[in-house]
Structure formats: C-alpha cells, structure tokens
C-alpha cells in the first residue's frame, strides 16, 4: 500500500571547494544546474510534495527552485548542523504530508528515477528505512553500511566514527534514503550530535528506527550513479558520466554517432531516428532534430529546431530561434539566428542569416549577409519562396524580397524587391579591348630598358 510521498532535496551546502561565486548546486551538468537535475528526478519519481532545503542567503538557489519546480516549498536551514538537522528544516512539509519521505542531495545529479523508485518500493515491501548503497572503489570518507549475514541493514557508521573492522566495509551510503515511519519527526528528533563530527547525522535514523521495532533495507546501485560533486574535477566527471549515458541512449533510439565521445548533448536534446551525427558536434540546451537528418562535423547548436531530412555543416552554427524546415541545406561557415527556413531552402556557404525568414526552396548564395542591426535596433529580412539571392549580397533590413525574385551577385539591397523581379545594385562593367596586351608589352619594354 503506497502512501503520499514527500521528496526532500538537501541543497544547503556552499561547496567551498568549487572556488566559485556560484553556489555549488547551481553549477551545470549537460546545460542544466545540478539542482535542476535533482528536481527533475523528484518530478520523475512522482512524489506528492517537494521540499528543498537551502542555506541562509541562498537567493539564487531559491530562484532556481522557483524556475524549475515552481510548486516546491523552499526551507532555510539556518546553520549547517548536519543532514538530520537539514531534513528537519522541512519540518512543516513533513507534518503536512503525513506519508513517506525520500531524501535526495542536490549535489548528486546522476541518479536515475528507476533507482529511486526501487528504493521507495522497499517501503512497500515492509522496510521502514531504505538506504541507497553502492560498492565503493575507494570507501574513503563515506558512511559504511553495516549489515547482517542475511543482508539486513543494522546501522550506518560514518567513517570518522568507525572501528577499523567497520572501515574495511566497502558497501557505502550514497546519502539517499527513504522513510516510512509512524512518527518521522520523533525519529529525526531523537537523533543527537554525540559523534566525531558533532553533527546531527540523518544516518542515525537507521538504528533509532530499528530500536523502535522497525526494519531497514539496502538497495545497491552503481557508484557512477551516486557520484557527489564537491569540486570542478568532480563536476567534469559527472559531466562525462552523464554524456556517456546520453550518447548510449541516443544510439539505442536509432541515431548514428560516428564518434560518440566527441558529441556533446544537453539535458533536453532530442534527435530523431536515422539521423547521422558526424564527430565534434555540440548541442547546447533547446535543440530538437527531426528524423533522417545529416549533421556533418564540427557544428554548434543552441535553441534551434532542425527539421527532418536537413543536411547541415560541416562548421555550421545555429543560434536561438533558428528553425530549419524539412530538407533544408545549411553548409559550411553559415550562422543562423532567429530565422525560419522553409522546406528545401538552401544556404550552403559562408553566410549570416539573422532575424527573418527564408521561404521554401529559396537559394541563398555564398557570402550573403542579413544586415539586421543598425547599432540600436534589430530588423527583419523576409525572403519569399523560390527567391534566388546571388552571392555576396548584403540585405539591409528591414527588407522584403518577393517570391521568385532574383538578386544579382554583389548587390547591397536596401529596398523591397517585387515578386519575380531582378534587382541588381552594382557599377556597370567597363571593358577595354586589347588593353592588357598593350599594357604588358609597354611594361616589359620599360623593364628591359632599365635591366643592365
Ligand atoms: C553524508 C552521509 C554519508 C554518506 C555521504 C555520501 C550523513 C551523516 N552522512 O556524509 O553516510 O556516505 O553523505 O556523500 O548524512 N547538508 C545540508 N545541511 C547540513 C549538512 C549537510 O544541507 O547541515 C547537505 C550538504 O549540502 C550535502 C549533503 O547534505 O549536499 C551531505 O552533507 P555532507 O556534509 O557532505 O555529508 P557527508 O559527510 O558527505
Ligand atoms: Ca558529501
């Protein structure tokens, strides 16, 4: 029988080892704050209520909670007296929810929803406390999970309080715990700080619950999943683990990555099946790719939609608002920002397309620039369906090119062009027959005269 579930996310740590002006939990993995990942995890686990515990003055952290999980309640832990004290900062939420509690850490961003569901599932199987553990390569300062021969969890011993025999245990506490207690506040309130660190240890809840006749259980996951981030080096490890997983997931979904270790994804990247991604492609947040697209090497994308069958790159850049319709071609050294390209439109070489629209099947020649900015305001360039913009054209916005119009190469277009017209803006060509031959003959004679 499942009961209402409250998730408590601990985010009070300052993370001084990050050496940063930014609170630790706001540092990003895959383009999203670690806190954001954990809040999304809480959502995926599907609890009924969410409480986040922050430190005093952590307004930026509270703001991120408001942005990512607006329904979450934020509590301030005034002094960092330990993990049990941190959970008690959310006392009101615990009182209001009257159900199960799961505790997550905002600096541990890689845990999968399925793992937390398994942990909470232990409560349904009769456990009063369920702890997420892992076999540590180097148990170091982790709390040790002390078990009986049958696997029953008897206690969690913090490294600083452990005997040599206890220190030899490799099964460690990830910190993530779930509780089904008749009176959780009584159990948490019974925790004292008589230990090596002088802290109120949440881990003591195991022994207290057992003394009250409760049962404790362990769920074991991989060490990678519970990596906690305390330094920039650990942040990069978390990123590497996240990326490895996300690449594997994409490939499993039918996307070809020629060199997966060189493709960088964001937390929200979506790629359709049978899309091919060549090496060295970076997806910043907000990018969607349709099916059967071809992304050639060395591209950077942010906030863009790439339609099905698009061919883009090598060396293309899409910035926010780039929207490439079906079968669009965007080639090397082309930058697109806030421009919609209709089905089959092409911009194959060396262009800047900023603010506007390009109609279906229009062709943008090499070296075309949308001159969108006058130093004060941004203006739009609108190009009609099937228009042909010759190479090296500057389109000075605001400007509209009608459907099917031609723009001669090298033009600087400052006025609207009607549909099916030719617009040309350049000096007329002056040709002098035989001039080059006469010039060469004269110069050669002059050089010979000086020669000796
Ligand atoms: C804790 C566990 C340990 C486990 C380890 C996993 C306890 C007593 N120990 O130890 O068994 O192996 O995590 O990493 O729980 N926090 C607060 N307020 C506080 C104290 C901590 O919000 O007053 C937050 C921290 O920001 C951090 C988390 O709780 O995100 C863990 O706290 P930390 O002090 O790092 O605990 P550990 O000593 O690592
Ligand atoms: Ca820690």
């Amino acid at each position: 029988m499942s009961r209402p579930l409250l998730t408590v996310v601990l985010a009070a740590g300052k993370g001084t080892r990050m050496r940063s002006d930014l609170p630790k939990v706001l540092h990003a993995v895959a383009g999203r704050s670690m806190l954001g990942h954990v809040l999304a995890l809480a959502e995926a686990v599907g609890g009924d209520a969410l409480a986040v515990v922050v430190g005093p003055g952590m307004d930026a952290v509270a703001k991120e909670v408001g942005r990512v999980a607006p329904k979450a309640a934020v509590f301030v832990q005034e002094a960092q007296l330990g993990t049990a004290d941190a959970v008690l900062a959310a006392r009101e939420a615990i009182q209001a929810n009257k159900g199960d509690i799961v505790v997550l850490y905002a600096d541990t961003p890689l845990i999968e929803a399925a793992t937390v569901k398994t942990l909470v599932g232990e409560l349904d199987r009769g456990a009063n406390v369920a702890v997420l553990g892992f076999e540590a390569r180097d148990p170091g300062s982790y709390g040790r999970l002390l078990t009986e021969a049958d696997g029953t969890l008897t206690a969690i011993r913090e490294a600083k309080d452990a005997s040599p025999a206890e220190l030899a245990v490799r099964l460690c506490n990830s910190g993530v715990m779930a509780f089904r207690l008749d009176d959780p506040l009584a159990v948490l309130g019974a925790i004292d700080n008589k230990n090596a660190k002088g802290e109120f240890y949440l881990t003591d809840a195991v022994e207290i619950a057992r003394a009250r006749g409760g049962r404790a259980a362990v769920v074991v996951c991989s060490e990678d999943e519970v990596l906690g981030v305390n330094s920039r080096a650990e942040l990069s490890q978390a990123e590497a683990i996240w990326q490895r997983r996300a690449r594997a997931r994409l490939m499993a979904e039918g996307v070809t990555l020629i060199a997966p270790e060189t493709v960088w994804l964001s937390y929200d990247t979506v790629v359709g099946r049978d899309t091919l991604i060549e090496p060295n492609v970076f997806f910043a947040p907000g990018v969607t790719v349709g099916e059967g697209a071809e992304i050639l090497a060395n591209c950077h994308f942010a906030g863009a939609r790439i339609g099905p069958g698009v061919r883009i790159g090598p060396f293309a850049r899409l910035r926010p608002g780039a929207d490439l319709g079906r079968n669009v071609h965007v080639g090397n050294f082309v930058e697109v920002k806030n421009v919609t390209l209709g089905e089959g439109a092409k911009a194959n070489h060396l262009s800047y397309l900023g603010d506007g629209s390009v109609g279906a099947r229009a062709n943008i020649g090499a070296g075309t620039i949308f001159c969108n900015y006058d130093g004060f305001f941004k203006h739009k360039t609108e190009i009609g369906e099937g228009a042909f913009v010759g190479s090296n054209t500057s389109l000075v916005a605001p400007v509209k090119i009608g459907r099917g119009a031609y723009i001669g190469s090298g033009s600087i277009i400052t006025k609207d062009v009607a549909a099916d017209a030719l617009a040309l803006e350049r000096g007329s060509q002056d040709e002098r027959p035989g001039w080059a031959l006469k010039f060469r003959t004269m110069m050669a004679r002059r050089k010979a005269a000086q020669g000796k």
Side-chain angles (χ1 to χ4, degrees), residues 329-371:
H329 289 183
V330 167
N332 40 269
F333 306 107
V334 174
E335 174 180 348
V336 182
K337 184 214 69 172
N338 195 26
V339 170
T340 301
L341 285 97
E343 179 165 350
K346 291 180 187 164
N348 274 328
H349 333 267
L350 300 160
S351 290
Y352 172 58
L353 313 182
D355 299 310
S357 57
V358 175
R361 295 172 308 284
N363 185 89
I364 307 293
T368 296
I369 306 292
F370 286 13
C371 306

Side-chain angles (χ1 to χ4, degrees), residues 248-406:
R249 186 171 10 89
L250 270 194
M251 291 188 282
E253 287 168 5
V255 178
T256 297
L257 305 183
I258 294 176
E261 64 287 358
T262 68
V263 173
W264 295 84
L265 305 163
S266 277
Y267 71 97
D268 60 351
T269 305
V270 176
V271 184
R273 68 186 258 159
D274 287 327
T275 283
L276 166 76
I277 304 179
E278 287 191 352
N280 299 318
V281 176
F282 192 96
F283 292 85
V287 179
T288 306
V289 184
E291 296 190 351
E294 251 181 291
I295 298 171
L296 308 186
N298 299 302
C299 290
H300 190 285
F301 305 135
R305 188 185 75 91
I306 297 173
V310 163
R311 194 179 72 210
I312 182 165
F315 296 99
R317 179 174 186 200
L318 298 182
R319 292 170 52 204
D323 186 341
L324 279 47
R326 182 180 290 274
N327 299 337
V328 160
H329 289 183
V330 167
N332 40 269
F333 306 107
V334 174
E335 174 180 348
V336 182
K337 184 214 69 172
N338 195 26
V339 170
T340 301
L341 285 97
E343 179 165 350
K346 291 180 187 164
N348 274 328
H349 333 267
L350 300 160
S351 290
Y352 172 58
L353 313 182
D355 299 310
S357 57
V358 175
R361 295 172 308 284
N363 185 89
I364 307 293
T368 296
I369 306 292
F370 286 13
C371 306
N372 60 328
Y373 186 47
D374 56 18
F376 295 90
F377 300 104
K378 301 276 171 70
H379 304 281
K380 280 194 166 174
T381 299
E382 291 165 63
I383 296 182
E385 282 181 24
F388 183 97
V389 177
S391 296
N392 197 27
T393 293
S394 298
L395 297 157
V396 182
V399 69
K400 290 184 190 169
I401 310 299
R403 57 165 56 204
Y406 259 68

